Every structure is written in C-alpha cells, then in structure tokens.
Amino acid sequence: MQKPVNDYTVNIPHLPGVYIMRDSAANIIYIGKAKDLKNRISSYFHSDTDSKAFSIISAMKTINYILCASEREAFLVERQLIKKIQPYFNAMWKDDKTYPYIKLTVAEDFPRLVMTRKVIKDGALYFGPYPQLTYIKKLILWLNKIFKIRPCKINFSEKELPKLDKVKSCLYYHTGLCFGPCMGKISSADYKNNLKEVETFFNGKLKKLADTWQKEMLELSNKQEYEKAKEIRDRLFAIQSISQRVAIREISIEDINQYVSKTDALQELRQVLKLHKLPAVMECFDISNTSGTNPVASMVQFVNGKPNKSGYRKFKIKTVHQINDFAMIKEAVFRRYSGIIRRNEQFPDLIVIDGGKIQLAYAQSALDEIGIYIPMISLAKQEEEVFMVGKPKSLMLPRNSLGLRLLQAIRDEAHRFAITFHKQLRAKAFIK
C-alpha cells in the first residue's frame, strides 16, 4: 500500500537539493534535483497514472535527500551521482535537458559571446553551467554593450572583411556599442586584448562590482528612475547566478550516506526540539578565558549540518570585567543578533549554547532585551543534557542519536575556535 503524500514530505524543507528514491531493498532507483525539495517531491504524488513520475513512486519505498547551497550545486551533485550510480529510472528515461554555458569564441579573429548547451573541443572558452536562463541571456546582452563585443552573426576574418556596403550602416557601430571590426576599425589583436577583461569578469571576484551596482540601483530608485533601476537589478541577478559558489569533487556512496545522515540529523532535531522549520542554519557560542584574562567568545555556524567557516565570528569581551562566563555569553549573544538586525541579515534557525541551564537563561535574556525570538537550546558537557527555554527538565538524547552527534560537533567546534582565539590573544599579550 502506497504511503500518503504527507508521510513522505512532512519533514522535507523548502530548500534546494538532490533527492534519492530507493526501492524496498534500499536500491537507488532514481535521483533528481530541485530548487525546492518539498514542492518537487510532493508533485510526484499528484502525477497521472501513465506518467514517468507515477512509475517511479510505484516502485519507491523510501526517499533521502541531500541539501545543497544553491540550485546550481544541486544540478552538479545530481549529474555526478547519476553518472556514478546510473539508477534504473534515470537510465530508462534520459533527461536531455542541460543548463546553458556562455561561450567565448576565441578561435575567431573577432570573438563573440554566445549561449550554448553543448561543450565541444573547438578552441572556445566555456563558462558555466548556469541555471538561470533568462538572466544569462540578459547578461550576454549587457556584456556585449559594456565591452563592445560584436553581437552580429556575420562570419568574417581580419584578412577577409565583409563588403562595406553591407555593414557601413551598422547601428551597433554608429551608436558606440561595437568597435566596428567588420569595417576594419580595430585590429584583431586590440579587439582580443579588450576581451581579457571579459575573462577576468567570469573568473574573478565580483563582489566589488555587485556593491557598485547595488549603490547605483538605490540611487536610481530614489530618483524614481525605475526602468534604469530594473536594468541594474537584472544585472545583479545575473551576477548572483554566476557567482554561486560550488565545491566540485568526486562523490562516493560513502559521501551519499554521510549527506543523508546529516539531513536525518537535522530532521531528528526538528522533531525532538519541536521546531517550526528544519535547523538548516545553526549557530553555537562558547567562552574562553584564563582566570578572567583576555576573555573571548566564539560563534561558529553550521549550514546543512556542515561547518560554514565564512560565518564564524570572534568577540573580545568588552563589558564584563570579572570572571563571569554567564554574563560573557549574554554579551556575545547580544552583540551578534543586535548586529544582525542593524545589517538586515538573516537569523539562524537554531542557536546552541555551550553550557547548562544558567548559560541558556543568560543567553535568552540577551534576545529578550533585543526583542526577538530565535529557537535556542544549550548542551551541557558532563551528561550531554539538552536544555530548552521554558522547559524545567533537560532532554536526554540516545548516545547514538544523529541529532546529538550534530549538536556535539557544533559545540566542540565552537570550543576549539574559542580556545584558538584565546591563545592568540595570550601570545600577543605575552610578546608585549
């Protein structure tokens, strides 16, 4: 008997990722990707009886999923897994859809930027793949305009230019959007030298450019020049699509099991802590000091069950002048989340405090003073008790619990990070 749709999708988040469907013998029969896992998997249970989706769920007994940082990362992980495992239904129904690349035709005397879905050995440079098709088309148009790349499809070389009467009225040249290579207005060497900036654009750091556009967009919006602001907004979307960071490496069956374990751990924490959403982003605090000297606090961030070191933060304690770890925790929590409000950044899904009931109470008082609510717990080292705000009794998770292992991992990482920072400050003080 097929399970109801809610049995399968109740704990699946609205996040990008890869889903893995298995049969009753735990064999992987289908792998797919999704921008929104919950919506995509739910759609299988509303499919027609003669459809591909219905055939899959008729054979499927369990669903695992791997959370990814972006739609593009999900696409690349899916491709690797399908290539390695070759599940039955993926092989039976090959999906010919591929995401587009941007191609720079460097083999031509006067190269162009074009969009393509095939990568071949033709001497061209390929950038991608990119999931956002609409914005990639706009990006090519914009790059042509900024770098004066010829947008025409005319085939010619530096030695064999097209007849002048066919190109002399070219609007791109006369409006300053093209150097006019078809009329001999620029050499191939100079034209290609200009295109080095395009390669830099695709391979370089784009944050400075994005910050400049963001400022321009706000200025135009304040002047009520909404059409121009919308044009810059589309540029920003294109930049975001291109700059999605993806870690590409070989994926093994062990990796799949590890990824699935992390998502299972997050699901378990959501259930036992009665959270409204999956704790995909977790932040953990710890304190380190030696007899009250050089007191510091650390905050580490885990995303989808893995350390996100760009989200780590250090705090030199400023307002507590005696040995009081509780007050130090309160200061660190207050500074972190009042700062998030000022910068209009995203709150985590769960805060973890290294300590017991008192540390948790001080940390919660910081959130109360700020006037915000974020789910928060503490983890006490000795018995690995989990304390929750408003609950008089602690929660004891089984020692082999995946959720407990994840809490221990983030707690231990916060402790390591705090001690490392504290030792650095002590070394500097000793040298002085």
Side-chain angles (χ1 to χ4, degrees):
M1 180 178 176
Q2 189 70 42
K3 285 187 180 181
V5 58
N6 287 341
D7 287 359
Y8 281 112
T9 64
V10 64
N11 291 319
I12 297 174
H14 291 285
L15 293 170
V18 173
Y19 54 94
I20 300 166
M21 294 182 169
R22 301 175 186 261
D23 61 17
S24 56
N27 298 313
I28 296 175
I29 58 173
Y30 187 73
I31 296 172
K33 52 126 180 45
K35 184 179 181 180
D36 184 312
L37 282 167
K38 193 179 189 74
N39 289 349
R40 182 70 186 98
I41 293 172
S42 296
S43 70
Y44 278 85
F45 297 91
H46 303 287
S47 54
D48 297 331
T49 55
D50 60 347
S51 67
K52 165 185 168 181
F54 187 83
S55 300
I56 294 173
I57 63 168
S58 297
M60 180 269 299
K61 295 300 178 188
T62 58
I63 301 174
N64 302 128
Y65 62 86
I66 299 169
L67 294 175
C68 296
S70 66
E71 184 184 8
R72 182 183 169 202
E73 183 179 22
F75 165 73
L76 294 173
V77 171
E78 179 209 36
R79 295 294 99 182
Q80 285 197 47
L81 293 181
I82 291 174
K83 184 177 180 181
K84 177 175 286 291
I85 299 168
Q86 297 183 356
Y88 173 76
F89 284 108
N90 290 99
M92 188 172 173
W93 290 296
K94 286 190 176 179
D95 185 0
D96 293 328
K97 179 186 175 184
T98 56
Y99 283 124
Y101 290 78
I102 294 179
K103 174 180 176 180
L104 182 60
T105 61
V106 292
E108 296 180 315
D109 284 351
F110 301 100
R112 297 166 295 131
L113 281 176
V114 296
M115 190 183 73
T116 181
R117 293 185 184 273
K118 291 184 179 180
V119 177
I120 57 176
K121 293 181 179 180
D122 58 353
L125 292 177
Y126 291 87
F127 307 98
Y130 304 119
Q132 298 293 341
L133 178 61
T134 303
Y135 296 122
I136 295 309
K137 288 180 177 178
K138 290 183 178 180
L139 178 66
I140 291 175
L141 292 173
W142 178 78
L143 289 173
N144 286 343
K145 177 181 176 181
I146 293 299
F147 295 106
K148 297 186 178 182
I149 304 168
R150 68 182 185 99
C152 65
K153 298 179 181 179
I154 303 173
N155 291 319
F156 63 93
S157 65
E158 189 170 27
K159 292 182 179 179
E160 295 184 18
L161 298 176
K163 292 181 180 180
L164 188 59
D165 60 346
K166 288 186 177 181
V167 296
K168 65 181 180 181
S169 59
C170 174
L171 287 175
Y172 294 110
Y173 171 71
H174 291 293
T175 54
L177 298 177
C178 179
F179 286 115
C182 59
M183 291 179 271
K185 301 294 184 180
I186 186 173
S187 69
S188 175
D190 288 342
Y191 184 94
K192 287 186 174 181
N193 188 57
N194 180 64
L195 291 184
K196 289 180 180 179
E197 295 183 5
V198 178
E199 294 181 42
T200 303
F201 170 84
F202 281 109
N203 296 321
K205 296 178 181 179
L206 307 177
K207 186 178 183 303
K208 185 176 180 180
L209 184 58
D211 289 344
T212 301
W213 287 348
Q214 187 76 39
K215 186 178 178 181
E216 287 180 18
M217 184 176 69
L218 291 174
E219 289 174 353
L220 289 168
S221 183
N222 290 334
K223 294 177 183 177
Q224 296 186 348
E225 297 182 37
Y226 299 119
E227 285 299 318
K228 291 182 180 179
K230 180 177 177 295
E231 181 182 335
I232 294 178
R233 184 203 65 186
D234 288 344
R235 293 184 203 168
L236 283 167
F237 284 148
I239 285 289
Q240 289 163 4
S241 176
I242 279 184
S243 60
Q244 287 177 349
R245 297 182 65 187
V246 179
I248 303 173
R249 64 182 181 88
E250 185 75 11
I251 293 179
S252 65
I253 299 297
E254 290 73 25
D255 289 327
I256 296 174
N257 293 333
Q258 189 179 57
Y259 286 139
V260 169
S261 294
K262 290 186 185 303
T263 55
D264 286 346
L266 294 174
Q267 281 190 10
E268 181 187 340
L269 288 178
R270 181 185 180 185
Q271 291 172 352
V272 298
L273 301 177
K274 295 179 170 55
L275 302 173
H276 293 301
K277 59 187 291 192
L278 201 76
V281 180
M282 301 166 58
E283 294 183 349
C284 183
F285 292 81
D286 190 22
I287 297 294
S288 182
N289 68 87
T290 303
S291 301
T293 61
N294 297 310
V296 300
S298 72
M299 188 219 80
V300 300
Q301 185 183 80
F302 275 30
V303 176
N304 298 334
K306 297 180 289 186
N308 175 37
K309 296 200 173 180
S310 65
Y312 285 21
R313 297 292 182 268
K314 304 171 183 175
F315 303 90
K316 291 182 182 179
I317 299 301
K318 299 177 179 179
T319 63
V320 182
H321 304 294
Q322 63 277 354
I323 303 174
N324 188 337
D325 286 6
F326 310 133
M328 292 176 187
I329 279 284
K330 179 179 178 180
E331 178 187 326
V333 171
F334 185 91
R335 285 168 58 186
R336 168 61 176 165
Y337 299 110
S338 59
I340 277 187
I341 291 174
R342 286 196 306 273
R343 295 186 296 272
N344 194 28
E345 296 175 351
Q346 190 72 33
F347 290 124
D349 303 312
L350 178 67
I351 300 171
V352 181
I353 303 297
D354 181 11
K357 192 180 288 188
I358 301 176
Q359 284 90 344
L360 180 63
Y362 271 78
Q364 182 59 44
S365 68
L367 296 189
D368 292 341
E369 286 184 22
I370 300 170
I372 58 173
Y373 170 75
I374 305 172
M376 182 189 292
I377 63 169
S378 66
L379 180 64
K381 284 189 181 74
Q382 192 166 3
E383 299 295 332
E384 302 293 31
E385 296 175 89
V386 177
F387 292 94
M388 296 180 284
V389 176
K391 302 285 185 180
K393 292 184 178 180
S394 65
L395 175 68
M396 298 292 291
L397 297 175
R399 290 290 176 174
N400 62 351
S401 158
L402 292 174
L404 177 60
R405 289 178 186 174
L406 181 55
L407 292 178
Q408 290 171 328
I410 193 170
R411 188 268 315 277
D412 294 346
E413 177 64 357
H415 185 65
R416 180 202 65 79
F417 193 50
I419 288 177
T420 301
F421 183 39
H422 178 60
K423 286 181 177 178
Q424 290 171 349
L425 293 185
R426 284 174 57 194
K428 286 181 181 179
F430 178 77
I431 291 171
K432 287 181 181 179

